[in-house]
Amino acid sequence: MVYNLRMKRSPGLRRKKKKTKTRLAFVTVILGLGLFAAFLLHFDAEVVKKFEGQRWKLPSKIYSAPLPLYPGLHIEEAHLIPRLKRLAYRRVNRPVRSRGEYYFTGEELELYLHEFSYPNNTEPGTPFRISLTDEGRIDRILDLSLVLEQAGLQLEPEIIGGFYESEWEERRLLRLSEIPQSLIDAVLVMEDRKFYDHPGIDIKGIARASWVNLRAGRIVQGGSTLTQQLVKNFYLDSKKTWTRKGREALLALLLERHYEKDEILEAYFNEIYLGQNGIMGIYGIGQAAWFYFEKAPKELTLGESALLAGIIRSPNVFSPLKDVHKSIRRRNLVLESLFSEGKIGLKDYLQAREETVSSKEIKQRLNAAPYFIDEIRRQLSKKYPPRVLNSGGLRIFTTLDVELQRSAEESLRDGLARLEREHPRLKRFEPDAGLQGALVAIDPKTGAVRALVGGRDYQKSQFNRVTDARRQPGSLFKPIVYLTAFDQAAKGGIPYTPISLIDDAPITLLVGGKEWSPENYDKQYLGPLTLRAALEGSRNTATVRLSQEVGLDEIVKMAKKVGIESELKSLPSLALGSLEVTPLEMGAVYSTLANGGLRHRPKFVSGIVDPSGLPIEREDDGSDLANRVVSAEASYLVTHMMKGVIENGTGRAVRRLGFDRPAAGKTGTTSGLRDAWFAGYTPDLVSVVWVGFDQNQGGGFSGSSAAIPIWTQFMKAASTGELRDFEVPSGVLIKPVDQNGTVCGNGGTDEAFIAGTEPTKNCEKGFIKWIKRFFF
């Protein structure tokens, strides 16, 4: 018998299962709605957080020092006209009328300064007339707005670099009220004519673009509103996918739900990408107006506004820097659209079409001083976190002179190449083994670092030899020994003078239980010498003997006071520069000497301003005040003797190579001929040059043959003001003395003495002496 085991389902069971499915569907819908709500809330919060927080990562811009213009300055030697071009000044063939113009006749220069905000003040944009001498030097400066003669003016600084994250987005943030209506109309007619009517998306536009994209099988047309363009740049990546387009539309709706149309439009005008200037991306209408036309947006003509509006769709295609003809055709299309929409009249339309378009590119010399900028970052990193430095929009004002920097780089490069050319044995083919050098220039009156070259080629080696290379200075240290002696004299100690005698003879000292016997460079000994002759001739044994007299501990104290911060030990070899120091430290030492015993610490930053214009750091905060560390009289005596180094001693090559200004300096060469130095200065500028190998190999060169040519080439280019000699302090007497140290008016050589230490013996006798005493 076969039984049918299939049982009929009861109606109750079927209803129960139906209810279960209904409940499951309901729960699924509820969960889906919940997830969608959470999704919406997440995106809604993201929209608000970004829009109300820090919208843009603003790079910190680094500025050079401004260029002071004053009577006596040679405008060609100061490279004034090229600097005006780099700063986007426009040359006109008539007297200046608006900011950013200059008019040059050869006899006069009219200059209408840009508006510029400094840490301490704001330059409103003032017109000046600068009269020139026949030699091309500034004679008079007249403020045309006040019709008053001025002692000087300053030309705004250049951007030399910046700190940023992945890319440099350069912006000048604007309020919507600062943008002319013609530019707003031009952008809206080209990018989103229904901007003030739609809720963030344009349904018809999306439908049209979707049909085109479906037929193409990929996304080829956007249909995006202006709000969607802002969302794409603000919140999303640049990938063209259906998912991203959906998120873009949703975020656009949410953005318009929270914010007014004008707020969105203002953000859009500050966000849009409008071209490239080297590594610097041009973002926003404010920066674009300056980049393409050197104007503020409110100063743009109708044609210029139309050109900017036309660039938005594709800056790399329609930029006048890429293709002037395409740019003009695109501008004219914008003008036609404005005319057809009734935004402009026929007269304005025709006039705007006739405007000329220039393809001239504005060039910024970014990263003009990479070693200098690295040191700026190192110093500021101790004060500010990376987020502030890289995206906080700081304006960092520095002490760098761009023209001196160019000259320093060129001088070092030429000098090292010359050495390798004249001495092929110095040539190395390994990337890290080549001949190297460093140069630093400092204003002794302020401590401002005016130029810094930390190596031969930054691309090959980022090691900064000015700030980080610790090398023996050799004879470059000797002036500190003589300074210590003269400072003791100024304080009433042993009355050392430049004509005091010291024995240049073999000397043996016990150091750590071992005998140490220094030798002179030429292995010869000259017997009793004046201190001047010992320093001019860089006599080792005489200097060591003097150091023993004045005391090694006192020399260490003096070295610390005048600028050396490295650890020093009171060893006899200290007098010959056996310690290790950086070129920057030696620059500080010689700056103190040049400044008459007043010490400034080397300064790189002169001020910092935040994005709102509030000064964070500035020069007048008292941090750059000079300290009197040694008497003016002792400093001057050393300077006067080092003038003799250049005239008669180991620095004679300075004169032979054509530098004829009053200057003082000292050569330095270390044992094994490993390091070649020259440090020298005028009253206005100190520069130190080092040449050697990073591996501390002997180069077979001296400070005179290797460093002086580099120093001289740089200083000849750097010295542009009127001739000035070193000022004699009131406590110093200049007396003509003969080779015996006797005051002698006829045939004597001028020598400097601290008052009270001058010689009293006079070479004049008899009747002539009586006549002078009686009548004079």
Side-chain angles (χ1 to χ4, degrees), residues 133-146:
T133 65
D134 293 339
E135 295 81 23
R137 295 188 181 276
I138 294 177
D139 183 35
R140 297 173 64 244
I141 299 175
L142 183 68
D143 183 333
L144 294 176
S145 64
L146 301 175

Side-chain angles (χ1 to χ4, degrees), residues 625-653:
L625 295 177
N627 295 316
R628 165 69 63 190
V629 295
V630 64
S631 69
E633 294 79 11
S635 298
Y636 182 81
L637 262 60
V638 174
T639 292
H640 198 255
M641 286 167 57
M642 285 200 292
K643 288 177 69 176
V645 171
I646 287 177
E647 300 297 340
N648 310 304
T650 57
R652 293 189 304 274

Side-chain angles (χ1 to χ4, degrees), residues 751-764:
E751 188 57 89
F753 300 91
I754 296 172
T757 67
E758 71 276 11
T760 57
K761 187 178 179 181
N762 198 300
C763 69
E764 293 167 345

Side-chain angles (χ1 to χ4, degrees), residues 528-548:
L529 294 175
T530 63
L531 297 189
R532 170 177 288 280
L535 184 61
E536 288 181 356
S538 198
R539 310 304 293 177
N540 289 342
T541 57
T543 303
V544 169
R545 189 167 270 108
L546 179 64
S547 72
Q548 292 296 305

Side-chain angles (χ1 to χ4, degrees), residues 479-756:
I480 299 176
V481 177
Y482 294 82
L483 179 66
T484 306
F486 294 142
D487 194 53
Q488 290 177 3
K491 294 176 179 178
I494 299 174
Y496 288 106
T497 73
I499 62 172
S500 297
L501 294 177
I502 195 78
D503 197 13
D504 180 34
I507 184 172
T508 299
L509 299 171
L510 202 61
V511 181
K514 295 181 179 180
E515 290 185 348
W516 177 66
S517 301
E519 295 180 330
N520 287 324
Y521 181 75
D522 57 5
K523 311 294 187 187
Q524 297 181 12
Y525 304 94
L526 305 179
L529 294 175
T530 63
L531 297 189
R532 170 177 288 280
L535 184 61
E536 288 181 356
S538 198
R539 310 304 293 177
N540 289 342
T541 57
T543 303
V544 169
R545 189 167 270 108
L546 179 64
S547 72
Q548 292 296 305
E549 291 184 11
V550 300
L552 293 174
D553 290 341
E554 294 303 312
I555 293 171
V556 168
K557 290 177 185 177
M558 179 61 72
K560 290 289 188 180
K561 286 196 293 185
V562 295
I564 291 180
E565 298 182 351
S566 297
E567 182 182 357
L568 302 178
K569 294 182 179 179
S570 300
L571 299 173
S573 60
L574 172 71
L576 304 183
S578 63
L579 72 158
E580 291 186 341
V581 296
T582 66
L584 185 62
E585 288 177 289
M586 295 312 299
V589 169
Y590 280 71
S591 292
T592 301
L593 290 170
N595 199 29
L598 290 170
R599 178 186 175 187
H600 286 280
R601 293 186 180 276
K603 181 174 63 176
F604 291 78
V605 176
S606 59
I608 300 177
V609 176
D610 72 9
S612 66
L614 182 68
I616 300 174
E617 297 181 19
R618 56 188 184 186
E619 282 185 306
D620 59 2
D621 62 2
S623 61
D624 63 338
L625 295 177
N627 295 316
R628 165 69 63 190
V629 295
V630 64
S631 69
E633 294 79 11
S635 298
Y636 182 81
L637 262 60
V638 174
T639 292
H640 198 255
M641 286 167 57
M642 285 200 292
K643 288 177 69 176
V645 171
I646 287 177
E647 300 297 340
N648 310 304
T650 57
R652 293 189 304 274
V654 169
R655 295 299 186 222
R656 190 176 70 249
L657 293 171
F659 187 70
D660 56 3
R661 288 173 173 259
K666 185 70 187 75
T667 53
T669 307
T670 60
S671 60
L673 304 180
R674 294 184 178 89
D675 302 275
W677 296 80
F678 189 75
Y681 51 92
T682 65
D684 303 307
L685 190 66
V686 174
S687 60
V688 176
V689 174
W690 169 83
V691 176
F693 289 98
D694 288 340
Q695 295 76 16
N696 214 20
Q697 301 166 344
F701 40 60
S702 66
S704 179
S705 64
I708 281 183
I710 296 170
W711 185 93
T712 305
Q713 180 179 336
F714 169 70
M715 290 296 283
K716 285 167 69 175
S719 303
T720 58
E722 292 183 317
L723 287 175
R724 222 162 53 85
D725 205 344
F726 298 96
E727 186 176 343
V728 182
S730 59
V732 169
L733 302 176
I734 304 296
K735 296 286 185 178
V737 297
D738 62 15
Q739 60 184 359
N740 298 316
T742 303
V743 177
C744 196
N746 295 322
T749 301
D750 283 348
E751 188 57 89
F753 300 91
I754 296 172

